[in-house]
Amino acid sequence: MAYGSGQNPVTSQLAEQMNLVSENDYIKINITLSEQFDSQALLATASLMKKDERRAYVIEVLKDFSVLSQKGIIADLNNMQKSNTVKDIKALWIANVITCKATPDAINELANRTDINNIDYDERRVMIDPKENNDAFYVEGIPGGKEITWN
């Protein structure tokens, strides 16, 4: 079966990955919810607070928001987990995203929800090969240059 033909929330990268695996294979995905917190309103309210109060307030508001908006999807994912079509569910409150591993059928079922903005393939990326010599990544600075020195 070919996936991704007109399925709105499934990204083309995920659709491609779904076509490469069997129906029982798990794919690591990120589910971004349609409902996102108004960060400008949050900043406006928090800007009047002291630093410690602001941090606590932002964390509390974002966590409460994500718990409420993710409630239905988390319940469905937990049910899917019982049928072994989803596993490793993690709710990420700061961006209102849920990450998990799901089979193609579970992804298609999630794609029918109206509260999901997109479902994307969470590919593993190696930014720096740990086997390489770290000196290979060192670049000599330019005297008088405006580069930002790491660390």
Side-chain angles (χ1 to χ4, degrees):
M1 171 181 256
Y3 298 104
S5 53
Q7 293 180 1
N8 192 20
V10 176
T11 64
S12 59
Q13 186 181 21
L14 176 56
E16 182 179 312
Q17 188 65 27
M18 291 168 70
N19 287 320
L20 297 175
V21 301
S22 76
E23 65 183 37
N24 296 321
D25 286 339
Y26 290 99
I27 303 169
K28 188 157 173 54
I29 61 172
N30 295 318
I31 303 165
T32 304
L33 280 74
S34 297
E35 191 175 9
Q36 293 293 315
F37 198 85
D38 182 357
S39 58
Q40 294 303 315
L42 182 64
L43 289 173
T45 303
S47 68
L48 304 173
M49 299 175 184
K50 294 180 183 175
K51 186 176 181 179
D52 291 342
E53 292 172 337
R54 183 172 54 234
R55 182 179 189 279
Y57 173 76
V58 168
I59 290 170
E60 180 183 357
V61 167
L62 290 178
K63 281 185 177 181
D64 289 347
F65 177 80
S66 68
V67 165
L68 287 174
S69 65
Q70 294 176 7
K71 188 176 183 177
I73 296 173
I74 293 291
D76 285 351
L77 289 171
N78 285 331
N79 286 332
M80 290 177 181
Q81 186 167 319
K82 291 175 186 171
S83 64
N84 294 319
T85 58
V86 171
K87 64 181 183 178
D88 301 336
I89 304 164
K90 293 183 182 89
L92 307 173
W93 56 268
I94 201 160
N96 206 21
V97 170
I98 301 167
T99 182
C100 65
K101 293 178 182 172
T103 63
D105 284 343
I107 295 168
N108 283 327
E109 189 174 332
L110 290 167
N112 291 320
R113 296 184 66 102
T114 58
D115 53 354
I116 292 177
N117 184 49
N118 72 36
I119 308 170
D120 195 14
Y121 175 54
D122 186 6
E123 68 179 316
R124 183 181 171 132
R125 296 180 183 157
V126 177
M127 303 307 277
I128 298 177
D129 187 349
K131 297 174 193 153
E132 299 255 347
N133 181 348
N134 286 336
D135 291 340
F137 298 103
Y138 177 77
V139 178
E140 190 67 42
I142 301 169
K146 296 184 179 188
E147 77 276 351
I148 298 173
T149 306
W150 77 244
N151 203 10

